[in-house]
Short mmCIF file of all heavy atoms in Angstrom, two decimals:
data_model
loop_
_atom_site.label_atom_id
_atom_site.label_comp_id
_atom_site.label_asym_id
_atom_site.label_seq_id
_atom_site.Cartn_x
_atom_site.Cartn_y
_atom_site.Cartn_z
N GLN F 256 24.33 0.25 -52.95
CA GLN F 256 25.21 0.01 -54.11
C GLN F 256 25.86 1.31 -54.59
O GLN F 256 26.56 1.32 -55.61
CB GLN F 256 24.43 -0.65 -55.26
CG GLN F 256 24.03 -2.08 -54.96
CD GLN F 256 23.24 -2.76 -56.07
OE1 GLN F 256 22.89 -2.12 -57.07
NE2 GLN F 256 22.94 -4.04 -55.89
N SER F 257 25.63 2.40 -53.87
CA SER F 257 26.26 3.67 -54.23
C SER F 257 27.76 3.56 -54.02
O SER F 257 28.23 2.76 -53.21
CB SER F 257 25.69 4.79 -53.35
OG SER F 257 26.53 5.91 -53.38
N GLU F 258 28.52 4.40 -54.73
CA GLU F 258 29.98 4.38 -54.52
C GLU F 258 30.32 4.87 -53.10
O GLU F 258 31.40 4.60 -52.60
CB GLU F 258 30.68 5.21 -55.58
CG GLU F 258 30.04 6.57 -55.77
CD GLU F 258 30.60 7.33 -56.96
OE1 GLU F 258 31.76 7.71 -56.90
OE2 GLU F 258 29.83 7.53 -57.93
N ALA F 259 29.39 5.60 -52.46
CA ALA F 259 29.61 6.06 -51.10
C ALA F 259 28.29 5.96 -50.33
O ALA F 259 27.57 6.95 -50.17
CB ALA F 259 30.12 7.50 -51.10
N PRO F 260 27.95 4.76 -49.86
CA PRO F 260 26.63 4.55 -49.25
C PRO F 260 26.32 5.46 -48.07
O PRO F 260 25.19 5.94 -47.93
CB PRO F 260 26.67 3.08 -48.83
CG PRO F 260 27.71 2.45 -49.68
CD PRO F 260 28.74 3.51 -49.93
N GLU F 261 27.32 5.72 -47.23
CA GLU F 261 27.06 6.54 -46.04
C GLU F 261 26.73 7.98 -46.46
O GLU F 261 25.85 8.62 -45.88
CB GLU F 261 28.29 6.54 -45.13
CG GLU F 261 28.01 5.84 -43.82
CD GLU F 261 29.20 5.82 -42.88
OE1 GLU F 261 30.08 4.95 -43.09
OE2 GLU F 261 29.24 6.64 -41.95
N ALA F 262 27.44 8.46 -47.46
CA ALA F 262 27.17 9.81 -47.97
C ALA F 262 25.80 9.84 -48.64
O ALA F 262 25.03 10.80 -48.47
CB ALA F 262 28.27 10.21 -48.96
N MET F 263 25.47 8.78 -49.37
CA MET F 263 24.21 8.75 -50.12
C MET F 263 23.01 8.74 -49.18
O MET F 263 22.04 9.49 -49.39
CB MET F 263 24.20 7.51 -51.03
CG MET F 263 23.01 7.45 -51.95
SD MET F 263 22.88 8.90 -53.04
CE MET F 263 21.40 8.50 -53.95
N ILE F 264 23.07 7.94 -48.13
CA ILE F 264 21.89 7.89 -47.25
C ILE F 264 21.68 9.24 -46.55
O ILE F 264 20.54 9.68 -46.35
CB ILE F 264 21.95 6.71 -46.25
CG1 ILE F 264 20.56 6.51 -45.60
CG2 ILE F 264 23.05 6.84 -45.21
CD1 ILE F 264 20.40 5.24 -44.81
N GLN F 265 22.77 9.94 -46.28
CA GLN F 265 22.62 11.26 -45.64
C GLN F 265 22.05 12.28 -46.63
O GLN F 265 21.27 13.16 -46.27
CB GLN F 265 23.97 11.72 -45.09
CG GLN F 265 24.40 10.89 -43.89
CD GLN F 265 25.77 11.27 -43.38
OE1 GLN F 265 25.92 12.28 -42.69
NE2 GLN F 265 26.78 10.47 -43.71
N ALA F 266 22.45 12.15 -47.89
CA ALA F 266 21.90 13.05 -48.92
C ALA F 266 20.40 12.78 -49.12
O ALA F 266 19.60 13.71 -49.26
CB ALA F 266 22.67 12.87 -50.22
N VAL F 267 20.04 11.50 -49.10
CA VAL F 267 18.61 11.14 -49.23
C VAL F 267 17.83 11.72 -48.04
O VAL F 267 16.74 12.28 -48.20
CB VAL F 267 18.43 9.60 -49.33
CG1 VAL F 267 16.96 9.22 -49.27
CG2 VAL F 267 19.07 9.06 -50.61
N ARG F 268 18.41 11.63 -46.86
CA ARG F 268 17.76 12.22 -45.68
C ARG F 268 17.52 13.72 -45.88
O ARG F 268 16.48 14.25 -45.50
CB ARG F 268 18.62 12.04 -44.42
CG ARG F 268 18.62 10.67 -43.84
CD ARG F 268 19.27 10.68 -42.46
NE ARG F 268 18.35 11.24 -41.46
CZ ARG F 268 17.34 10.57 -40.92
NH1 ARG F 268 17.14 9.32 -41.25
NH2 ARG F 268 16.54 11.14 -40.05
N GLY F 269 18.51 14.39 -46.45
CA GLY F 269 18.39 15.83 -46.70
C GLY F 269 17.19 16.14 -47.59
O GLY F 269 16.43 17.08 -47.35
N VAL F 270 17.02 15.32 -48.62
CA VAL F 270 15.89 15.51 -49.54
C VAL F 270 14.56 15.23 -48.83
O VAL F 270 13.60 16.00 -48.95
CB VAL F 270 16.04 14.54 -50.75
CG1 VAL F 270 14.77 14.48 -51.56
CG2 VAL F 270 17.22 14.97 -51.61
N VAL F 271 14.53 14.13 -48.09
CA VAL F 271 13.26 13.68 -47.50
C VAL F 271 12.86 14.56 -46.31
O VAL F 271 11.72 15.01 -46.21
CB VAL F 271 13.37 12.19 -47.08
CG1 VAL F 271 12.16 11.77 -46.23
CG2 VAL F 271 13.49 11.31 -48.31
N HIS F 272 13.81 14.79 -45.40
CA HIS F 272 13.43 15.47 -44.16
C HIS F 272 13.61 16.99 -44.23
O HIS F 272 12.95 17.72 -43.51
CB HIS F 272 14.24 14.92 -42.98
CG HIS F 272 13.83 13.52 -42.62
ND1 HIS F 272 12.54 13.17 -42.33
CD2 HIS F 272 14.56 12.37 -42.51
CE1 HIS F 272 12.47 11.87 -42.05
NE2 HIS F 272 13.68 11.37 -42.17
N ASN F 273 14.55 17.45 -45.08
CA ASN F 273 14.81 18.90 -45.10
C ASN F 273 14.48 19.55 -46.44
O ASN F 273 14.91 20.69 -46.68
CB ASN F 273 16.28 19.17 -44.74
CG ASN F 273 16.66 18.53 -43.42
OD1 ASN F 273 15.87 18.56 -42.47
ND2 ASN F 273 17.84 17.94 -43.35
N ASN F 274 13.81 18.84 -47.31
CA ASN F 274 13.42 19.38 -48.62
C ASN F 274 14.61 19.93 -49.42
O ASN F 274 14.44 20.89 -50.18
CB ASN F 274 12.37 20.48 -48.46
CG ASN F 274 11.04 19.90 -47.99
OD1 ASN F 274 10.53 18.96 -48.57
ND2 ASN F 274 10.51 20.46 -46.91
N LEU F 275 15.80 19.33 -49.26
CA LEU F 275 16.93 19.79 -50.08
C LEU F 275 16.59 19.56 -51.54
O LEU F 275 16.00 18.54 -51.90
CB LEU F 275 18.20 18.99 -49.76
CG LEU F 275 18.94 19.27 -48.45
CD1 LEU F 275 20.32 18.59 -48.48
CD2 LEU F 275 19.08 20.76 -48.19
N LYS F 276 17.00 20.50 -52.39
CA LYS F 276 16.80 20.34 -53.84
C LYS F 276 17.83 19.30 -54.32
O LYS F 276 18.88 19.13 -53.69
CB LYS F 276 17.04 21.67 -54.53
CG LYS F 276 16.04 22.75 -54.12
CD LYS F 276 15.17 23.11 -55.31
CE LYS F 276 13.89 23.80 -54.93
NZ LYS F 276 13.98 24.99 -54.12
N PRO F 277 17.55 18.63 -55.45
CA PRO F 277 18.47 17.57 -55.90
C PRO F 277 19.92 18.02 -56.01
O PRO F 277 20.83 17.31 -55.58
CB PRO F 277 17.90 17.20 -57.28
CG PRO F 277 16.47 17.57 -57.21
CD PRO F 277 16.35 18.73 -56.28
N LYS F 278 20.14 19.24 -56.53
CA LYS F 278 21.54 19.69 -56.69
C LYS F 278 22.20 19.89 -55.33
O LYS F 278 23.36 19.53 -55.13
CB LYS F 278 21.58 21.01 -57.49
CG LYS F 278 22.05 20.78 -58.93
CD LYS F 278 22.29 22.07 -59.65
CE LYS F 278 23.71 22.58 -59.40
NZ LYS F 278 23.99 23.86 -60.05
N GLN F 279 21.44 20.48 -54.41
CA GLN F 279 22.00 20.69 -53.05
C GLN F 279 22.33 19.35 -52.40
O GLN F 279 23.38 19.19 -51.78
CB GLN F 279 20.95 21.38 -52.16
CG GLN F 279 20.65 22.81 -52.48
CD GLN F 279 19.49 23.29 -51.60
OE1 GLN F 279 18.38 22.76 -51.66
NE2 GLN F 279 19.77 24.29 -50.78
N ALA F 280 21.42 18.40 -52.57
CA ALA F 280 21.64 17.09 -51.95
C ALA F 280 22.84 16.40 -52.60
O ALA F 280 23.62 15.73 -51.92
CB ALA F 280 20.39 16.22 -52.11
N TYR F 281 22.98 16.58 -53.91
CA TYR F 281 24.12 15.96 -54.60
C TYR F 281 25.42 16.58 -54.14
O TYR F 281 26.43 15.89 -53.94
CB TYR F 281 23.95 16.10 -56.12
CG TYR F 281 24.99 15.33 -56.89
CD1 TYR F 281 25.10 13.94 -56.76
CD2 TYR F 281 25.88 15.98 -57.74
CE1 TYR F 281 26.06 13.23 -57.45
CE2 TYR F 281 26.84 15.28 -58.44
CZ TYR F 281 26.93 13.90 -58.28
OH TYR F 281 27.89 13.18 -58.96
N GLU F 282 25.41 17.89 -53.91
CA GLU F 282 26.62 18.55 -53.38
C GLU F 282 26.96 18.01 -52.00
O GLU F 282 28.12 17.75 -51.68
CB GLU F 282 26.43 20.07 -53.33
CG GLU F 282 26.73 20.72 -54.68
CD GLU F 282 26.06 22.08 -54.84
OE1 GLU F 282 25.72 22.72 -53.83
OE2 GLU F 282 25.87 22.48 -56.01
#
Side-chain angles (χ1 to χ4, degrees):
Q256 290 179 355
S257 162
E258 48 188 293
E261 247 180 280
M263 186 59 180
I264 193 169
Q265 290 176 78
V267 172
R268 285 192 76 78
V270 167
V271 169
H272 290 305
N273 305 320
N274 291 309
L275 286 192
K276 296 246 161 55
K278 255 188 87 182
Q279 290 174 298
Y281 187 61
E282 276 158 22

